């Protein structure tokens, strides 16, 4: 057997690489210049910085997360004694999953950005924000955005990136059909609008909508019919009635008479499908989130107008969505104070306005609406004004620690009613309610 | 080869290509579309004018170099670690007789039946207790052994006749020489295959790095690419996302093609 | 060198690193899950109490569990059998180092490398009920069209197809690695003995490939039982749990219902079940495997 030079060289290389990577592991956090999140609290200052871990739904290096990371940096620069460390946790579900692991490991962050409806679950570990934020900030939040922020009268969740569903209209088509440009006020009117806007010859559908992955739009519509998701303490399902099934029936009827484009006729991403048809002028009205506004205004050749989400029975009522910030009560008093200061900072006019303008998420404070900059902006893009005004009718989200499981179950049922429009809507909603009640009973 | 067999072969190849080439073309084509083209349904097969600018935009947006560097460090460390841990173990299981060998082998394989979705909470707790969160250690140490690799290489080593080993021992070869100069060259297609799989799965892994790190300084490329998916449905820029995905897979595709040639060229039973 | 040699000769030292790592990062999590499976643990409130076998009993009483179990068995059976047979046939065809073979093999392998998102989007499009290519093909053959992932009748079949498709390149690669390690001289000897092609295939290739196929069988069974991504990305287990598989179901209990006790009990049941199936296979086939 002769000595294999190649193998010897390979083994040598192997050893070298191990040595090299071993060294580079010693200083894992030195090459972070591009992310702005300066770290290593090893600065030889006399006073230790208060480190505030902030778990975000966004990756701090890009998109909305980058805007947030810039705000974090500004705050850290202005407050030398505090260091907020933002980290992305992979979206709403990612934050929830990691919080779960962190609760077991007992190393929770100080601030967590959670989906609005998750406070029902995280309430026991959420701190009373009025102790750590200034009262003027809390009073300054637009009231409609804080309806899901209170637990037993205590303010626990500060609005961050928030949205609400509205009705988008192709204003040119509405005008051509001789309809009131203000748009339909009720769901019945919406059905009439859709009939008049539909033009099979041109392949135009009057309306389209879908439920979203958390059945958010269904939930919203149920409120607009005067319905509820669960009772006050979250122990009973409350949508097993006409109010819960009306919107399903309406959508089914409109699909059957071909005045509504059925997003569930295709498996493709429903939201993209509707949006693309709306942009093409093939769907005249689109029930969608305010978050889509920027894209819809910027990519259309026609005028886009918006209206409140329709209602039935005389009272507007709809959901809001997006994320709120909570401070975890297990953090030290110093950390919680610093975290409160950071949330105060995020709610300063300048930050609220720039975040709104760049992301399309709703402005969160009343004083921001009064700034000349925002006033001018809203004059140029009055469509956003409608969504902000609509917030006065915002409905609180379901108070249940099991809401995540329930909506995951609900959306399957609601989807099935549109995939197969011959299904009895009352039966579908009843089945959904039974399944939801079972989830509640099993996980008390 | 007979005429019929030739035709059959060509038909099979064409069918396979048709069935499997789609997603790749699809990704490539989407990555060159404009945003509006990318959400079109039913989709156009090709973009009207290829938008190479998507790539340069994405390169900047996902901080390609920073994250790719981390991916390289993590993936290569894991592969090296697995070689050092798994080859000796596989050798022992295949060619040594010792007490409780069966029991130990079963223990080593336990990882196969443990899905990540089940084990991540306790592993997070461990890594957190070790103080490894946010370091390369967290992304490397738990993964430098692999039940799959040990099992696979054990099967490969078992196929090498004992007579060869005995002959080498007669020649006064040391154990190290037997492993490095006898076993490894013969089992090369298997070792390469196992390590290629490790490379691919670790390079693309999104789940574990997300769970075990918070800080961007040690995070890897898939996380940055995933970050391009919008939190609001319908706001994702599919064209840029696919450009990001292309940038993610190209290195691994090149590695795969190179390794594949090696595996097929592997000098079978080279020691005479 | 002598010292090194002595150390390496000791099998316990050879396996020590692997054993230590597996104990810490696999065995410990399993023991952890065993303990939690007997608890009612509210992670947010931080309250734990031992409840005996209550979590297990709840699972057995849950009709969804039985449905998911049935789905998993069907899913595993079809993906494993079809996946291995196809891989064997294709592996035989592509084993040469011809350019065309390498190219086709690379193409078959791409689903393993491509991002899950692009694969998902593509299949959603292929299986679209209205404009999807698959329905178009069915129509062309005069067959009734399907709703694929959108109907409870066909959703499980749909994810089986996607899984086989996704895993095939991986299986083929392992088959080819096995084929490559069969010494050429055996084939040459067979040629001298004037063995026919089929005889060579069944008398030489298949027996010599049996350790590889055996390996593939065990790992395929385990990985098909553990399938998660395909469910999570394509159907979320729906419609009406018709495509829900056991690991995804466990995940849902743990991270949608946040019932970590019940999820742990489910995990333990899952691991016992997979181990039993793997051991039966091992006992049954290991004897038939031909080692040189």
């Amino acid at each position: 057997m002769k000595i294999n030079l190649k193998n010897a060289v390979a083994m040598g290389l192997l050893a070298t690489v191990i040595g090299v990577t071993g060294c580079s592991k010693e200083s894992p956090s030195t090459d972070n210049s591009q992310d702005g999140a300066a770290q290593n609290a090893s600065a030889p200052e006399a006073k230790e910085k208060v480190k505030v871990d902030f778990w975000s739904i966004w990756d701090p290096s890009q998109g909305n997360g980058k805007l947030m990371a810039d705000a974090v940096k500004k705050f850290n620069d202005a407050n030398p004694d505090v260091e907020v460390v933002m980290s992305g946790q992979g979206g709403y579900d990612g934050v929830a999953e990691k919080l779960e692991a962190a609760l077991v490991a007992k190393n929770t962050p100080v601030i967590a950005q959670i989906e609005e409806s998750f406070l029902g679950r995280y309430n026991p570990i959420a701190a009373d924000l009025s102790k750590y934020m200034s009262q003027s900030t809390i009073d300054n939040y637009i009231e409609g955005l804080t309806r899901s922020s209170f637990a037993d009268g205590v303010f626990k969740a500060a609005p961050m990136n928030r949205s609400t569903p509205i009705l988008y209209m192709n204003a040119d088509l509405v005008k051509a059909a001789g309809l009131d440009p203000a748009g339909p006020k009720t769901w019945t009117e919406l059905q009439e609008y859709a009939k008049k806007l539909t033009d099979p010859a041109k392949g135009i559908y009057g309306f389209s909508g879908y439920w979203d992955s958390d059945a958010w739009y269904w939930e919203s519509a149920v409120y607009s019919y005067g319905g509820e998701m669960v009772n006050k303490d979250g122990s009973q399902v409350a949508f097993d009635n006409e109010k819960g099934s009306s919107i399903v029936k309406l959508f089914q009827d409109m699909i059957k008479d071909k005045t509504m484009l059925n997003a569930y006729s295709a498996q493709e991403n429903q939201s993209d499908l509707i949006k693309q048809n709306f942009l093409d002028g093939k769907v005249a009205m689109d029930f969608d989130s305010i978050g889509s506004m920027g894209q819809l205004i910027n990519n259309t050749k026609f005028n886009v107008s918006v209206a409140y989400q329709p209602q039935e029975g005389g009272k507007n009522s709809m959901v809001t969505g997006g994320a709120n910030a909570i401070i975890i009560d297990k953090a030290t008093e110093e950390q919680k104070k610093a975290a409160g200061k950071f949330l105060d900072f995020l709610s300063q006019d300048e930050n609220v306005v720039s975040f709104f303008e760049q992301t399309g998420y709703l402005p969160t404070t009343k004083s921001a609406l009064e700034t000349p900059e925002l006033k001018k902006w809203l004059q140029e893009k009055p469509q956003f004004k409608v969504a902000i005004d609509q917030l006065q009718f915002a409905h609180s989200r379901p108070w249940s620690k099991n809401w995540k499981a329930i909506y995951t179950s609900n959306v399957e049922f609601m989807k099935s009613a549109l995939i197969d429009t011959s299904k009895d809507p009352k039966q579908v909603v009843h089945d959904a309610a039974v399944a939801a009640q079972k989830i509640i009973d099993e996980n008390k | 080869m007979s005429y019929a067999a030739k035709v059959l072969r060509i038909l099979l190849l064409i069918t396979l290509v048709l069935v499997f080439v789609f997603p790749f073309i699809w990704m490539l084509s989407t990555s060159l579309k404009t945003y509006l083209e990318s959400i079109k349904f039913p989709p156009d097969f090709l973009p009207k004018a290829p938008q190479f600018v998507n790539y340069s935009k994405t390169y900047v947006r996902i901080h390609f170099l920073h994250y790719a560097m981390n991916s390289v460090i993590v993936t290569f460390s894991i592969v090296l670690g697995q070689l050092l841990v798994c080859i000796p173990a596989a050798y022992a299981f295949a060619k040594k007789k010792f007490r409780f060998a069966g029991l130990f082998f079963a223990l080593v394989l336990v990882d196969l039946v443990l899905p990540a979705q089940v084990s991540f909470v306790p592993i997070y707790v461990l890594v957190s207790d070790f103080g490894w969160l946010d370091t390369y250690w967290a992304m490397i140490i738990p993964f430098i052994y692999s039940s799959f690799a040990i099992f696979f290489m054990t099967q490969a080593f078992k196929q090498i006749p004992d007579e060869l080993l005995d002959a080498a021992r007669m020649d006064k070869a040391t154990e190290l020489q037997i492993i490095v100069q006898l076993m490894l060259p013969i089992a090369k297609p298997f070792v390469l295959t196992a390590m290629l799989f490790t490379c691919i799965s670790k390079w693309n892994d999104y789940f574990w790095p997300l769970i075990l790190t918070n800080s961007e300084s040690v995070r890897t490329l898939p996380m940055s690419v995933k970050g391009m998916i919008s939190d609001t449905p319908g706001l994702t820029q599919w064209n840029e996302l696919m450009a990001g995905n292309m940038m993610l897979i190209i290195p691994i595709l090149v590695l795969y093609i190179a390794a594949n040639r090696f595996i097929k060229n592997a000098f079978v039973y080279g020691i005479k | 060198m002598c010292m090194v040699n002595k150390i390496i000769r000791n099998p316990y030292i050879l396996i020590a690193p692997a054993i230590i790592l597996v104990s810490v990062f696999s065995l410990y999590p399993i023991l952890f899950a065993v303990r939690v499976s007997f608890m009612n643990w509210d992670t947010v409130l931080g309250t734990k109490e031992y409840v005996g076998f209550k979590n297990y009993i709840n699972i057995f009483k849950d009709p969804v569990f039985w449905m998911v179990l049935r789905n998993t068995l069907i899913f595993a059976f079809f993906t494993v059998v079809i996946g291995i047979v196809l891989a064997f046939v294709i592996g035989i065809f592509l084993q040469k180092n011809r350019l065309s073979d390498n190219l086709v093999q690379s193409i078959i392998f791409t689903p393993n490398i491509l991002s899950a998102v692009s694969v998902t989007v593509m299949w959603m499009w292929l299986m679209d009920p209205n404009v999807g290519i698959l329905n178009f093909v069915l129509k062309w053959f005069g067959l009734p069209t399907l709703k694929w992932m959108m109907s409870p009748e066909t959703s499980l079949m749909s994810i089986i197809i996607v899984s086989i498709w996704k895993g095939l390149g991986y299986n083929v690669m392992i088959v080819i690695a096995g084929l490559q390690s069969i010494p050429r001289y055996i084939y040459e000897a067979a040629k001298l003995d004037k063995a026919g092609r089929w005889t060579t295939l069944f008398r030489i290739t298949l027996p010599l490939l049996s350790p590889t196929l055996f390996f593939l069988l065990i790992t395929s069974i385990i990985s098909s039982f553990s399938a998660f991504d395909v469910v999570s990305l394509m159907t979320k287990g729906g419609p009406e749990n018709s495509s829900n598989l056991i690991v995804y179901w466990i995940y849902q209990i743990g991270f949608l219902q946040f019932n970590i006790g019940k999820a742990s009990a489910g995990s333990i049941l899952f691991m016992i079940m997979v181990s039993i199936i793997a051991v039966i296979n091992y006992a049954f086939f290991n004897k038939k495997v031909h080692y040189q």
Side-chain angles (χ1 to χ4, degrees), chain C residues 57-70:
Chain C
I57 294 166
N58 279 346
I59 287 178
F60 289 129
K61 282 201 291 199
D62 189 342
V64 179
F65 168 73
W66 296 106
M67 179 163 182
V68 163
L69 189 64
R70 177 186 147 271

Side-chain angles (χ1 to χ4, degrees), chain B residues 111-151:
Chain B
D111 186 44
L112 283 176
V113 298
L114 183 67
Q117 290 75 23
V118 171
S119 64
F120 87 80
V121 170
I123 289 187
Y124 179 89
V125 175
L126 270 181
V127 167
S128 157
D129 287 351
F130 291 160
W132 288 350
L133 286 179
D134 278 344
T135 66
Y136 287 118
W137 299 117
M139 286 191 283
I140 295 168
I141 304 294
F143 310 105
I144 58 170
Y145 85 98
S146 144
S147 296
F148 172 84
I150 293 177
F151 190 14

Side-chain angles (χ1 to χ4, degrees), chain A residues 11 24 29 58 62 101 104 107 157 190 196 206-207 211 238 251 254 265 271 304 318 334 337 340 342 399 435 444:
Chain A
M11 292 305 277
S24 66
S29 50
W58 298 311
Q62 55 174 314
V104 175
N107 64 355
L190 175 115
K196 289 189 182 138
F207 172 74
W211 304 131
F251 277 19
M254 288 174 74
S265 68
S271 158
V304 177
M318 69 315 136
E334 264 186 321
K337 278 194 184 123
F342 174 63
W399 186 259
K444 266 183 193 147

Side-chain angles (χ1 to χ4, degrees), chain A residues 183-198:
Chain A
K185 307 259 174 316
T186 65
W187 290 108
T188 319
E189 271 179 52
L190 175 115
Q191 203 172 1
E192 286 158 15
Y193 264 65
K195 257 182 206 141
K196 289 189 182 138
L197 289 165
T198 299

Side-chain angles (χ1 to χ4, degrees), chain A residues 49-66:
Chain A
K49 282 191 177 195
V50 180
K51 192 171 169 239
V52 175
D53 278 317
F54 163 35
W55 283 8
S56 172
I57 57 170
W58 298 311
D59 176 347
S61 64
Q62 55 174 314
N64 294 343
K66 181 87 176 66

Side-chain angles (χ1 to χ4, degrees), chain B residues 51-176:
Chain B
Q51 307 288 313
F52 291 103
V53 66
N54 291 343
Y55 281 81
S56 50
K57 267 202 236 158
T58 306
Y59 182 87
V60 176
R61 179 170 169 187
I62 62 175
H63 301 284
F64 182 81
L65 274 185
H66 170 77
Y67 290 104
M69 196 58 211
N70 281 340
S71 280
V72 168
I73 292 173
V74 169
T75 308
F76 275 88
S77 307
I78 290 174
V79 168
L80 287 174
Q82 284 198 0
L83 286 172
L84 291 175
V85 170
C86 299
I87 289 176
Y91 172 60
F93 286 125
K95 291 296 170 198
K96 301 263 175 191
K97 291 201 168 55
F98 53 101
R99 277 172 70 120
F100 306 119
L103 193 72
F104 282 124
F105 194 54
L107 179 62
V108 164
L109 296 191
V110 111
D111 186 44
L112 283 176
V113 298
L114 183 67
Q117 290 75 23
V118 171
S119 64
F120 87 80
V121 170
I123 289 187
Y124 179 89
V125 175
L126 270 181
V127 167
S128 157
D129 287 351
F130 291 160
W132 288 350
L133 286 179
D134 278 344
T135 66
Y136 287 118
W137 299 117
M139 286 191 283
I140 295 168
I141 304 294
F143 310 105
I144 58 170
Y145 85 98
S146 144
S147 296
F148 172 84
I150 293 177
F151 190 14
F152 195 54
M153 291 194 239
T154 304
Q155 292 292 101
F157 289 162
K158 267 189 190 170
Q159 290 186 67
I160 298 171
D162 285 335
E163 295 79 32
L164 274 180
L165 273 78
D166 294 339
R169 287 200 182 101
M170 299 276 276
D171 283 352
K172 301 221 163 51
T174 63
E175 291 284 302
L176 192 65

Side-chain angles (χ1 to χ4, degrees), chain C residues 51-108:
Chain C
V51 292
F53 283 91
K54 194 174 144 235
N55 289 320
Y56 290 91
I57 294 166
N58 279 346
I59 287 178
F60 289 129
K61 282 201 291 199
D62 189 342
V64 179
F65 168 73
W66 296 106
M67 179 163 182
V68 163
L69 189 64
R70 177 186 147 271
N71 290 346
T72 309
L73 289 170
I74 297 173
F75 176 88
F77 179 79
F78 284 103
T79 45
V80 169
V81 172
I82 301 176
I84 292 182
V85 171
L86 277 181
F88 179 68
V89 174
I90 294 170
I92 297 278
F93 267 95
L94 297 182
Q95 60 175 315
K96 302 267 167 57
N97 199 12
R98 271 182 293 229
L99 186 66
S100 61
D101 287 7
N102 283 341
L103 194 69
V104 173
Q105 200 200 330
S106 302
I107 287 170
I108 300 179

Side-chain angles (χ1 to χ4, degrees), chain A residues 301-367:
Chain A
K301 293 172 208 85
F302 48 85
N303 292 308
V304 177
S305 59
V306 292
Y308 288 171
Q309 175 195 303
Q311 39 87 6
E312 207 68 59
K315 253 182 75 190
N316 280 301
S317 185
M318 69 315 136
V319 291
T320 58
N324 288 335
I326 57 169
I327 295 180
I328 312 286
D329 217 12
K330 287 178 181 139
T332 66
E333 205 57 26
E334 264 186 321
Q335 286 176 319
K336 286 190 274 188
K337 278 194 184 123
K341 212 167 157 189
F342 174 63
L343 295 181
D344 279 338
F345 169 81
L346 286 183
S347 308
Q348 288 171 7
D349 290 348
E350 185 195 346
N351 294 322
V352 172
V353 170
S354 84
F355 193 72
F356 163 62
E357 289 182 0
Q358 293 182 68
T359 65
Y361 281 113
L362 294 166
T364 51
T365 61
K366 286 179 270 200
S367 64

